[in-house]
Amino acid sequence: MFIPESITLSIYDKACSKYGITWQTKAKGNPVLEYTDEEDINYERSTKVIGACTDGMGSIKNTAVFEDVLPSKRYRYRVGDVSGIYSEDAICQFPETDSDELSFIVITDTQDEANHGTWFGYGYEDIMNLHADAHLLIHTGDMVQESGDAELWKKMLHNNRDFFLSMPMAYVTGNHDYWGGYLHGFRHTAAMHFNTDYPVQDTSNGFYYSFDVGPAHFTVLSSGDSMVTDNEGVLEEQYNWAINDISSTNKKWKIVCVHNPFYSPGKYGCRPPLDQMALALRRQFNKQFADLG
């Protein structure tokens, strides 16, 4: 009943000094995260963090936070229950936060309803062979085809666990995370799978947040406001937050992540009327982004 499933490792706080972990169980127990040096295979010198749990999608969402971890150090970790039930070990490494260089990976739309991430698995092997120095993952939405289907999350994350659990992920909500036909009656489906300290907001149609790593400031937006604005851009609350957030950073690189493309040769970027959101986002942000560098 307490066997961990659908485990994710994510950016937690704005300074990237903490990292969140989330996993699902069939029943509510006493969740725990345990992490240690990579060489400590018996967890003799481990740190144990008691987690928290809330209702998930027909399951229990369990969360905990890595604290006081060192950039570039490799950690061995597992999650589970204080009763002694644990996941298999994973090895992760966190990005340098004070460096003037940063290598990170961007992926998107991994949803693969028929093969549950098998094809993506071939891709991530190439990614890691080419970019072994990267320790940050940006996923720009639509991890699974139907965000309200817990089984799809379980299979995608389990089949690609070596990749997803090796570095923290900054997740950007995509349309499969907020379009009603994909939710199976649930709400906040993406937020149920990641432990990130978001600004106070309604996460029904996605979430927005920001963080700093090395020379870069990342502003993560949600195009899910289109569910409320009828494809007329983001709500005023998110817009004002975004402009204030980008204005407040002095980082050399200012990077905005959003699922719906501003510019694209694909149907959502240039095919009327499917390009309405792209056109609205351009009207809202183009000049501001240019002015803010």
Side-chain angles (χ1 to χ4, degrees):
M1 298 294 282
F2 304 135
I3 297 174
E5 299 174 335
S6 301
I7 306 170
T8 63
L9 177 63
S10 59
I11 297 292
Y12 183 77
D13 65 332
K14 189 167 185 175
C16 280
S17 60
K18 303 176 184 179
Y19 297 89
I21 191 153
T22 306
W23 67 101
Q24 313 292 325
T25 54
K26 290 184 171 61
K28 183 176 290 186
N30 296 291
V32 62
L33 159 68
E34 189 171 11
Y35 59 96
T36 186
D37 303 335
E38 181 182 14
E39 298 80 12
D40 183 17
I41 60 175
N42 294 318
Y43 290 85
E44 295 173 347
R45 302 182 299 275
S46 68
T47 297
K48 285 188 176 182
V49 178
I50 300 302
C53 51
T54 57
D55 290 339
M57 297 183 335
S59 62
I60 299 299
K61 173 188 175 183
N62 302 268
T63 59
V65 177
F66 288 83
E67 299 190 50
D68 301 320
V69 290
L70 299 175
S72 296
K73 180 178 177 178
R74 289 172 62 83
Y75 288 90
R76 178 182 302 275
Y77 72 94
R78 60 189 182 181
V79 295
D81 189 81
V82 295
S83 63
I85 299 173
Y86 282 100
S87 65
E88 60 185 295
D89 289 2
I91 305 295
C92 70
Q93 189 170 353
F94 301 112
E96 287 281 0
T97 52
D98 297 326
S99 174
D100 59 0
E101 295 183 353
L102 175 67
S103 178
F104 63 96
I105 294 165
V106 181
I107 59 175
T108 192
D109 293 73
T110 52
Q111 75 261 48
D112 177 9
E113 191 173 17
N115 297 289
H116 306 298
T118 300
W119 295 109
F120 169 67
Y122 298 137
Y124 91 66
E125 289 179 7
D126 284 345
I127 289 170
M128 297 312 298
N129 287 334
L130 292 168
H131 303 288
D133 60 333
H135 304 304
L136 171 65
L137 171 64
I138 312 293
H139 192 308
T140 55
D142 292 354
M143 176 172 282
V144 296
Q145 179 72 10
E146 299 183 33
S147 188
D149 187 333
E151 194 67 17
L152 294 182
W153 284 94
K154 175 183 173 182
K155 290 179 179 178
M156 167 63 75
L157 292 167
H158 180 77
N159 290 346
N160 297 289
R161 60 194 180 281
D162 291 344
F163 180 64
F164 287 131
L165 299 183
S166 66
M167 66 184 81
M169 182 193 311
Y171 190 70
V172 184
T173 41
N175 59 296
H176 287 247
D177 297 312
Y178 50 75
W179 280 3
Y182 298 124
L183 303 183
H184 295 236
F186 291 107
R187 301 176 68 200
H188 317 281
T189 55
M192 287 182 183
H193 287 86
F194 297 97
N195 185 20
T196 298
D197 188 20
Y198 313 114
V200 176
Q201 61 190 280
D202 180 359
T203 60
S204 298
N205 295 320
F207 41 70
Y208 54 85
Y209 60 103
S210 65
F211 59 95
D212 293 328
V213 183
H217 177 80
F218 291 87
T219 300
V220 176
L221 300 182
S222 173
S223 49
D225 279 356
S226 59
M227 300 297 291
V228 180
T229 66
D230 195 24
N231 282 330
E232 286 301 319
V234 302
L235 290 166
E236 183 178 8
E237 178 184 6
Q238 184 178 180
Y239 173 82
N240 290 336
W241 174 87
I243 299 306
N244 181 67
D245 175 75
I246 300 169
S247 300
S248 67
T249 184
N250 59 4
K251 292 290 186 179
K252 177 179 180 180
W253 294 95
K254 302 174 185 178
I255 301 171
V256 176
C257 309
V258 63
H259 180 74
N260 197 105
F262 282 48
Y263 295 93
S264 170
K267 61 184 179 180
Y268 293 109
C270 67
R271 185 188 301 171
L274 298 176
D275 61 351
Q276 289 182 9
M277 186 63 176
L279 294 172
L281 289 171
R282 291 182 215 171
R283 288 193 297 269
Q284 279 190 310
F285 287 109
N286 269 9
K287 185 179 185 303
Q288 294 279 17
F289 284 172
D291 291 346
L292 292 169

